Amino acid sequence: MTYLPTDEVSAVRDRLGHPVIDSDGHLIEYLPLVRDFIDEDAGTDLAAVFEKMSNTADRRRAVPDRAKRRDLGIHATAVWGIPAANTLDRATCMLPDLMYKRLDEIGVDFAVLYPTYGLTVTQLAHDELRRALARALNRYYAEVYGPYGDRLAPVAAIPMFTPEEAVAELDHAVGELGLKAVMMGGVIPRTLAGGGRWMDTLGHDSPYDYDPVWQRCEELGVTPTFHSGGQGWGSRMSTVNNSYNQVGNFAAADEAVCRSLVFGGVPARFPNLHFAFQEGGVAWAAALLAGIVGHWEKRNSEAIQHYNPARMDRDLLRTLFRRHATGPVADRIDRLETGLAMHSDPDELPQDIDQFGESLLTSAQDVLDLFSTRFSFGCEADDPMNALAFSADLNPGGVTLPAVFASDVGHWDVRDIRDVLPEAYELVERHQIDEAQFRDFVFANPVRLWTSMNRSFFRGTHVEDAVDKLLAAPQPEAAH
């Protein structure tokens, strides 16, 4: 069967003089083979645990009725999240040969494919099964997708519950299996000794030191990318409505880990590392950038002294109260010190004052540089907020943000995989970005992302020549 581009795809491709790189499509794993890999590598008992976990019917029978879910902290999970009526697309995302043959039809030259069932590795609390599943999945990606490496790059699933676990799986997936892209869990659920639940975001205030993980990424030449969800914590805890939990959940998780890395000083300690945050879009990043810059300007260790209670002229304050206080306030001037208590305690601990010390940031420009040159943001094709990445007049410091085209094929967001490129190009047709910015979105920014730690990422691929030409050209400086 021949798969030809649609008229809409052809119309877009005819206007482009460059490849299109999809930085976050999805494959759908064939679970019987994954189960057999677990059996071979970890034993029959764990394979049986996996089989029970992946059996939808068993899982639904195990969920208590709605009246009990809230008491047990059970939130509504995904319902019908992958293609069904569009059976061709379902098969396409399960069969690499079919995906490979359809790439020209959908207008994509090279696709980086993230997991589907592999996303569970980032949240799975069962220690033995999590590690066995990560090994089986990464073996699956390497063996099943290996013959198609000139146009398809599967992404390894790296569990992050402990630094030791993450390093071991990086060594296995990248060092042994040869996978060249990795997906990490950026938000790790921790159960506290008192029975509470806390979300660890790997950088600031983590109980673990994840620096060995970042160091190993640098040594192996892989970019840490995060594809975590925010369902089941915060306000996304509906017991009955998954869409309520789903809306904005990837952006919430991306924002959490990005903020944690920045305040935890990870990018400052590893200046050669690039980081990517997938499927959450870019609007959250623009808001976070503005928030951090705003806090820096008013809350860095020098600026915050403007609010130091010790600098308050209490004599002047008493004089002003005596002159201008009226009624019941005037009757209580003798209790003025009590009225100054909240947020005016001069005995704050010193470590609470330097709120940017751990970040190792020295200026607002440091923040702007991180967001505009070392972070990348995966943006789904149909997200109208993608234009914000290129709106230098709206972003702090006049920067643009490295948005990368992310189709999300294989999941419910995409009703027909032939629509993703035309949908992305609508930003140009609506005059929200220009052709050069679209080139950055679907080609230049993805190239810079994936070659940031591995200059040879695209060697031997369908887009090698175009990538080499791009990298050889003088690189534009980030807009400021």
Side-chain angles (χ1 to χ4, degrees):
M1 184 178 293
T2 302
Y3 298 100
L4 299 175
T6 65
D7 291 342
E8 291 82 2
V9 169
S10 294
V12 174
R13 290 308 304 249
D14 287 347
R15 298 186 63 171
L16 306 182
H18 54 79
V20 172
I21 296 174
D22 180 1
S23 289
D24 181 16
H26 283 273
L27 57 84
I28 301 174
E29 301 87 343
Y30 188 62
L31 293 185
L33 181 53
V34 175
R35 183 257 180 226
D36 289 349
F37 283 167
I38 293 176
D39 194 350
E40 291 178 23
D41 297 340
T44 302
D45 289 345
L46 274 181
V49 174
F50 169 73
E51 198 161 21
K52 183 176 181 180
M53 182 195 79
S54 60
N55 187 302
T56 302
D58 284 349
R59 187 169 67 251
R60 286 179 178 168
R61 281 194 291 268
V63 173
D65 62 59
R66 291 183 178 183
K68 297 180 180 179
R69 288 178 184 173
R70 190 172 304 282
D71 288 342
L72 296 174
I74 297 175
H75 67 282
T77 54
V79 177
W80 296 345
I82 52 181
N86 189 333
T87 307
L88 176 59
D89 280 5
R90 175 69 162 265
T92 299
C93 295
M94 296 181 72
L95 301 169
D97 185 71
L98 183 54
M99 172 71 81
Y100 188 90
K101 287 179 168 62
R102 294 191 69 197
L103 284 180
D104 290 334
E105 180 187 12
I106 64 178
V108 169
D109 296 278
F110 189 89
V112 179
L113 299 176
Y114 277 73
T116 293
Y117 298 112
L119 293 171
T120 63
V121 167
T122 66
Q123 298 288 308
L124 189 58
H126 190 303
D127 291 340
E128 287 185 279
L129 180 58
R130 182 177 65 250
R131 293 163 187 158
L133 180 56
R135 295 254 165 156
L137 287 167
N138 292 334
R139 178 184 171 188
Y140 178 94
Y141 305 143
E143 293 185 11
V144 175
Y145 283 80
Y148 306 92
D150 63 320
R151 298 192 72 174
L152 301 176
V155 178
I158 306 297
M160 295 283 283
F161 275 68
T162 68
E164 295 77 14
E165 168 183 79
V167 169
E169 298 315 318
L170 281 168
D171 285 341
H172 177 252
V174 180
E176 297 179 31
L177 297 178
L179 296 171
K180 55 187 179 181
V182 300
M183 174 200 73
M184 296 174 163
V187 183
I188 308 300
R190 308 282 189 199
T191 301
L192 304 179
R197 195 163 180 255
W198 175 66
M199 307 308 293
D200 181 5
T201 48
L202 308 184
H204 172 71
D205 208 24
S206 174
Y208 292 94
D209 177 8
Y210 279 91
D211 278 6
V213 179
W214 317 130
Q215 181 65 41
R216 197 69 184 121
C217 286
E218 192 167 344
E219 293 165 352
L220 291 170
V222 290
T223 299
T225 79
F226 303 95
H227 198 304
S228 299
Q231 298 189 58
W233 48 276
S235 62
R236 293 177 171 82
M237 285 288 291
S238 169
T239 60
V240 297
N241 190 323
N242 175 247
S243 289
Y244 174 88
N245 296 333
Q246 173 83 18
V247 171
N249 88 100
F250 287 111
D254 282 342
E255 192 272 349
V257 66
C258 183
R259 176 163 40 92
S260 180
L261 295 177
V262 172
F263 275 92
V266 174
R269 290 196 302 278
F270 296 91
N272 297 320
L273 273 186
H274 195 112
F275 301 85
F277 309 91
Q278 296 286 32
E279 203 164 323
V282 75
W284 69 265
L288 179 61
L289 172 60
I292 295 177
V293 169
H295 274 69
W296 170 268
E297 291 172 346
K298 296 180 176 65
R299 306 289 287 175
N300 70 65
S301 59
E302 293 182 8
I304 200 173
Q305 294 303 319
H306 185 73
Y307 311 98
N308 187 340
R311 297 181 64 181
M312 186 184 300
D313 187 335
R314 277 173 159 73
D315 290 337
L316 175 59
L317 189 65
R318 290 188 190 95
T319 299
L320 293 171
F321 262 75
R322 283 193 294 269
R323 289 178 182 174
H324 301 287
T326 61
V329 173
D331 295 339
R332 293 166 175 79
I333 287 180
D334 61 322
R335 293 161 62 186
L336 180 57
E337 286 299 324
T338 302
L340 300 177
M342 185 174 287
H343 295 306
S344 297
D345 185 354
D347 297 322
E348 292 274 4
L349 297 176
Q351 60 263 37
D352 294 334
I353 301 303
D354 188 2
Q355 298 178 9
F356 284 89
E358 184 189 6
S359 74
L360 304 178
L361 297 169
T362 61
S363 67
Q365 188 61 52
D366 288 350
V367 187
L368 297 172
D369 289 343
L370 283 180
F371 278 75
S372 61
T373 65
R374 294 182 54 203
F375 294 165
S376 293
F377 309 100
C379 298
E380 294 185 35
D382 62 347
D383 185 351
M385 298 303 291
N386 294 342
L388 185 58
F390 304 97
S391 301
D393 57 330
L394 297 178
N395 293 321
V399 300
T400 57
L401 303 176
V404 295
F405 170 61
S407 72
D408 207 39
V409 297
H411 291 174
W412 63 268
D413 312 58
V414 182
R415 294 171 65 89
D416 190 318
I417 64 176
R418 296 169 298 182
D419 294 337
V420 290
L421 184 62
E423 283 183 330
Y425 194 75
E426 286 176 2
L427 293 179
V428 179
E429 295 173 335
R430 294 196 296 261
H431 307 291
Q432 293 173 307
I433 65 174
D434 59 30
E435 294 278 3
Q437 291 167 329
F438 187 77
R439 176 179 180 270
D440 284 342
F441 182 43
V442 302
F443 178 52
N445 287 346
V447 168
R448 293 176 189 127
L449 162 61
W450 298 115
T451 62
S452 62
M453 297 303 301
N454 178 7
R455 181 85 175 196
S456 302
F457 186 94
F458 292 102
R459 183 172 296 167
T461 71
H462 183 66
V463 296
E464 178 179 9
D465 291 344
V467 168
D468 287 346
K469 184 177 180 180
L470 173 70
L471 294 177
Q475 298 301 303
E477 296 185 4
H480 292 118

